[in-house]
Amino acid sequence: MIFAANFKTNHTRASTLAYLEQLEQKIANNKNDKFYLFPPSTAILSHNSNVTIGVQNAYPARNGAFTGEIGLEQLEEFGIKTILIGHSERRQLLKESDEDIAKKFTFFKEHDFEIIYCIGEPLEIREQGDNVVIDYLAGQFTGIDTNYKNLIIAYEPIWAIGTGKSATDLEIATTHKALKALCSKPLLYGGSVNTANIKDITSIPNVDGVLVGSASLDVNNFVSLINTAR
Ligand code: PGA
């Protein structure tokens, strides 16, 4: 299983370091799973352990006049080679268009990054049923090379993110099955994953792991989520 923690705009550099130290200690004997941590950009760090540090976002350029952004040069300083692209918070709050996202994907693919590409439907699409959901999600693959070797997909229904209301097991099962038919890459589920639902979610066929926001912020909680899944 893949366990990825997305800190979003939480934690500092100091608290990320303390978190990482504890996480590593507690998963030291776990050789079966894969772990990722996406701290805020101010907390990215050079790191060599079984926890891969990735960045939540970066601008598709080596460097240049892109106020407020970080590019390849800044990531290289820390040996960061993993990036989240297409998270719904960036699509919605930061107004990233499909075109922006495809451009970002292509740039980081050309630089051999491992990409966790996020897709997910809003509630009004989910309410129209499975076929409409799948068509919508398939649309989010436009301009994206789904055969890219370093690709992981994260299915995160927007209405389930940060709401405490995850998708049902049936919704996850149906959607993951259809997504696997479109793209055979590892497929994560994200959206209100917590210690109470992790066991059921990770038992669903075609779920290869989870992308966790709120329930990852406390290291003990994240570790108990990992241990409950096993
Ligand atoms: P959540 O966030 O676990 O707080 O719902 C998941 C995500 O946005 O990746």
Side-chain angles (χ1 to χ4, degrees):
M1 278 286 147
I2 295 170
F3 294 91
N6 176 11
F7 278 2
K8 308 189 179 182
T9 314
N10 297 289
H11 278 290
T12 61
R13 189 168 190 81
S15 69
T16 299
L17 276 167
Y19 182 107
L20 197 54
E21 203 175 301
Q22 286 190 57
L23 179 62
E24 276 165 359
Q25 241 174 44
K26 291 176 187 193
I27 57 165
N29 297 324
N30 182 331
K31 305 285 175 230
N32 301 317
D33 299 316
K34 254 193 113 182
F35 305 97
Y36 292 85
L37 176 59
F38 295 89
S41 300
T42 56
I44 55 173
L45 43 110
S46 299
H47 191 70
N48 191 9
S49 82
N50 55 347
V51 181
T52 301
I53 306 293
V55 73
Q56 295 172 21
N57 176 52
Y59 196 79
R62 164 160 290 280
N63 51 29
F66 309 106
T67 301
E69 296 287 308
I70 61 170
L72 196 58
E73 186 176 79
Q74 289 75 37
L75 298 179
E76 280 176 354
E77 183 179 21
F78 296 100
I80 301 290
K81 291 291 287 180
T82 301
I83 185 168
L84 278 185
I85 294 180
H87 193 282
S88 63
E89 284 154 13
R90 296 208 58 86
R91 291 180 193 262
Q92 294 196 319
L93 301 171
L94 283 306
K95 309 284 178 246
E96 282 188 11
S97 66
D98 291 350
E99 208 179 20
D100 296 333
I101 290 166
K103 207 167 133 192
K104 200 175 277 192
F105 186 99
T106 302
F107 179 85
F108 286 101
K109 175 190 141 187
E110 279 166 0
H111 290 90
D112 284 329
F113 271 61
E114 180 173 32
I115 298 174
I116 300 197
Y117 181 63
C118 305
I119 55 174
E121 82 286 357
L123 189 58
E124 64 268 23
I125 296 292
R126 171 52 70 183
E127 284 169 348
Q128 293 173 60
D130 290 335
N131 292 342
V132 179
V133 169
I134 298 307
D135 280 354
Y136 183 91
L137 297 175
Q140 291 184 320
F141 287 134
T142 307
I144 302 298
D145 176 4
T146 52
N147 292 315
Y148 177 47
K149 64 179 187 322
N150 280 329
L151 174 61
I152 295 174
I153 306 291
Y155 167 58
E156 300 201 298
I158 297 171
W159 47 272
I161 294 178
T163 59
K165 182 182 179 289
S166 81
T168 64
D169 293 355
L170 182 61
E171 285 166 336
I172 299 173
T174 311
T175 312
H176 274 232
K177 188 171 176 215
L179 286 173
K180 277 280 184 180
L182 292 176
C183 174
S184 60
K185 298 294 171 179
L187 179 55
L188 314 183
Y189 169 77
S192 295
V193 174
N194 57 41
T195 44
N197 60 25
I198 185 72
K199 181 106 193 142
D200 288 343
I201 290 175
T202 51
S203 307
I204 298 170
N206 300 309
V207 172
D208 302 307
V210 284
L211 179 54
V212 188
S214 334
S216 74
L217 296 181
D218 178 275
V219 68
N220 292 319
N221 199 52
F222 191 51
V223 168
S224 87
L225 188 145
I226 292 163
N227 291 337
T228 311
R230 273 197 271 142

